[in-house]
Amino acid sequence: MVERLGVRQFYGAPTALRLLLKAGDHHVHKYDRSSLATLGCVGEPLNDEAWVWYHSVVGEGRCTVVDTWWQTETGGISIAPRPSPDDSTPKPGFPMRPFFGIQPVLVDDQGNELHGPNVSGNLCIRHPWPGMARSIYGDHGRFMDTYYRPYPGLYFSGDGARRDGEGHYQITGRVDDVINVKGHRIGTAEIMIHEWLKQQW
């Protein structure tokens, strides 16, 4: 499709990218991808191995990978490495920066805001924005219970996230899909990263 239509921007899901990665590079190399300029991704956290493969094999090391975080409920991209004021290099596995009008907040399970770098918590958004959902058809109470009552005054995404030393965000997965190890909650993305690192050693 990229070769036939001269596609410049390709947007895919992490699950599809991991399947392509497993199938072997020859499936990608047999097609001309010189038209590609930007590679996008959304749907779940993109692990480092798939990010590097997407950039180096599919994008031939010249295409920007825009790994985005958003939900149907947010109406569009909420955290992404582009646009960026300094045109800095995207980080593997990091959507990185809040999009225009989005103010992410990390909170602990008691609703206390976590300030500064190198913290992990529940990902919320502080203020309303134009694309946000306003209700669930026929069940406004469920909408409020799911998104607004867990942390009053904030929109609760249901995802966990980490903010690194540079203030960039990495999504760690659904907070209702975690295991508790010695008081530390570990999400699906963190397990994927750990398993990938084990394979490298």
Side-chain angles (χ1 to χ4, degrees):
M1 184 174 66
V2 170
E3 179 181 271
R4 180 167 49 89
L5 301 175
V7 172
R8 289 189 49 74
Q9 298 178 341
F10 180 84
Y11 209 64
T15 302
L17 297 178
R18 284 190 285 270
L19 286 170
L20 288 169
L21 186 157
K22 281 185 176 182
D25 297 354
H26 63 282
H27 292 291
V28 177
H29 288 153
K30 66 183 178 180
Y31 298 104
D32 177 13
R33 298 169 323 285
S34 60
S35 63
L36 286 172
T38 306
L39 302 173
C41 188
V42 74
E44 63 196 57
L46 181 63
N47 59 309
D48 290 11
E49 182 184 16
W51 191 101
V52 169
W53 177 84
Y54 197 28
H55 179 260
S56 62
V57 176
V58 177
E60 301 173 322
R62 58 180 175 73
C63 298
T64 299
V65 176
V66 181
D67 180 8
T68 60
W69 176 82
W70 58 286
Q71 302 173 296
T72 302
E73 301 91 325
T74 67
I77 294 170
S78 299
I79 302 177
R82 294 288 187 268
S84 60
D86 56 1
D87 203 33
S88 62
T89 304
K91 293 180 185 176
F94 279 75
M96 293 180 72
R97 298 177 185 83
F99 202 65
F100 302 123
I102 303 294
Q103 294 184 28
V105 178
L106 298 181
V107 299
D108 64 18
D109 291 337
Q110 288 71 48
N112 301 306
E113 185 172 346
L114 303 170
H115 298 278
N118 300 314
V119 293
S120 296
N122 301 305
L123 178 59
C124 299
I125 300 176
R126 188 183 310 280
H127 295 295
W129 64 98
M132 66 189 299
R134 291 171 48 183
S135 190
I136 295 173
Y137 181 72
D139 197 348
H140 189 67
R142 180 179 171 204
F143 177 75
M144 296 302 292
D145 289 342
T146 302
Y147 301 106
Y148 293 98
R149 291 199 176 106
Y151 304 107
L154 299 171
Y155 166 87
F156 174 46
S157 70
D159 283 333
R162 180 172 80 88
R163 187 168 52 233
D164 73 3
E166 296 177 278
H168 297 147
Y169 290 86
Q170 179 181 41
I171 308 304
T172 56
R174 301 293 300 167
V175 296
D176 56 2
D177 192 15
V178 298
I179 57 173
N180 204 324
V181 180
K182 295 183 179 180
H184 297 283
R185 295 176 65 174
I186 301 173
T188 52
E190 293 163 304
I191 292 169
M192 285 190 313
I193 290 166
H194 176 72
E195 287 302 309
W196 180 76
L197 287 171
K198 272 181 23 185
Q199 291 171 12
Q200 304 310 304
W201 296 101

